[in-house]
Amino acid sequence: MKIWYVLPKKYPYLAMSICGIILVKRGRTLSAPIINHEAIHYAQQKELLFIFFFIFYALEFLLRYIQTGFKWHLAYRNISFEQEAYDQERDLNYLPKRKSYAWIKYI
């Protein structure tokens, strides 16, 4: 994965993964668990041929946003893709043993 330090400092999140590129806030560094978190998202994106990942991500965010009473951060943390990534980010050996579509169990 490539890492580009291009996100503005006011961006609400440290990093995001898009098609194998990790976009990071300027002036920040990434820990191994954060890189792993973003690599998990890359695996999810590949499974869903990229475009379907972003469609499902947006739809699930909207659903969670409504379910949580319009609480942005809570909705974000309840997205199945994020739940898998946060649960497994500290296991740096997770990706080689990860089963395909592992995020489904978090729906």
Side-chain angles (χ1 to χ4, degrees):
M1 294 188 73
K2 294 182 180 189
I3 300 174
W4 294 353
Y5 294 88
V6 296
L7 295 177
K9 290 182 179 181
K10 292 187 177 187
Y11 187 74
Y13 302 102
L14 174 61
M16 64 186 292
S17 174
I18 299 178
C19 302
I21 299 168
I22 302 174
L23 306 177
V24 185
K25 279 185 181 183
R26 288 186 215 119
R28 301 292 299 268
T29 57
L30 297 179
S31 65
I34 297 299
I35 293 170
N36 196 43
H37 178 106
E38 299 305 333
I40 292 167
H41 284 317
Y42 180 52
Q44 295 165 341
Q45 291 171 23
K46 288 188 296 185
E47 287 171 344
L48 295 171
L49 306 175
F50 299 99
I51 188 66
F52 296 109
F53 170 85
F54 293 108
I55 291 169
F56 291 160
Y57 193 103
L59 290 174
E60 188 175 2
F61 174 79
L62 288 173
L63 174 67
R64 303 296 183 196
Y65 189 59
I66 293 165
Q67 285 177 334
T68 60
F70 305 99
K71 295 181 175 105
W72 185 277
H73 188 71
L74 189 55
Y76 159 77
R77 289 300 296 255
N78 279 289
I79 297 169
S80 56
F81 300 115
E82 293 299 341
Q83 288 181 32
E84 178 193 6
Y86 277 109
D87 281 356
Q88 304 300 330
E89 70 185 8
R90 296 201 179 279
D91 181 356
L92 301 182
N93 298 309
Y94 176 68
L95 277 172
K97 62 186 176 187
R98 179 184 180 268
K99 293 183 180 176
S100 295
Y101 303 96
W103 54 271
I104 289 175
K105 71 179 182 180
Y106 295 93
I107 293 178

